[in-house]
Amino acid sequence: MIVKNILAGKGGNVVTINPTADVIAAAKLMAERGIGAVVVLSADHRIVGILSERDIVQALAEHGAAVLSEPVSQVMTREVKTCSEDDTIGDLMGRMTTGRFRHLPVVMQGKLIGIVSIGDVVKSRVEEIDQETKTLREYIQTA
């Protein structure tokens, strides 16, 4: 399975935020949407960072509650790993495991077209395994 198939099922909607927004606004946005990360876009719609729950927790631990009024740009991860819609689930699992992150923005020709989470990857892999199991059972029953 490839990323394109995941996006076909979940859609390409990505929650984004401006780097000048404060961290509390980002946290509220993530809580309202039930998501673990937001992509940070510049005024010209380029990806300049990603802000995850982990980023917020680390900033709180290091700087205290005052960090909540700081701009997202002070807390976000700047080196954003991305993927393409042609990447395989295996590729994503490897990158996410090695990099220790749970969200990958999907980029095509420099433009943000979606985001894939570890939950999306696991769900996709479970569906693949279920289909393989079903196919094997059908084969065994007809043999």
Side-chain angles (χ1 to χ4, degrees), residues 17 21-32 38 51 68 70 72:
I17 198 161
D22 57 25
V23 174
I24 192 70
K28 287 179 181 178
L29 179 61
M30 287 190 282
E32 288 168 2
V38 291
L51 181 71
L68 295 173
E70 292 291 323
V72 166

Side-chain angles (χ1 to χ4, degrees), residues 37-110:
V38 291
V39 178
V40 184
L41 296 182
S42 65
D44 62 354
H45 303 287
R46 286 182 310 108
I47 297 173
V48 294
I50 189 165
L51 181 71
S52 69
E53 295 164 324
R54 182 181 293 162
D55 293 323
I56 295 171
V57 168
Q58 287 176 340
L60 281 167
E62 290 176 21
H63 306 289
V67 78
L68 295 173
S69 61
E70 292 291 323
V72 166
S73 61
Q74 297 299 311
V75 178
M76 70 186 186
T77 298
R78 293 179 185 280
E79 292 184 33
V80 181
K81 306 297 184 198
T82 63
C83 66
S84 77
E85 61 182 357
D86 296 324
D87 285 328
T88 67
I89 298 309
D91 292 337
L92 269 57
M93 289 189 320
R95 278 194 249 163
M96 289 176 157
T97 301
T98 302
R100 297 183 48 120
F101 50 82
R102 298 171 291 184
H103 300 87
L104 271 172
V106 184
V107 176
M108 184 170 66
Q109 298 176 349

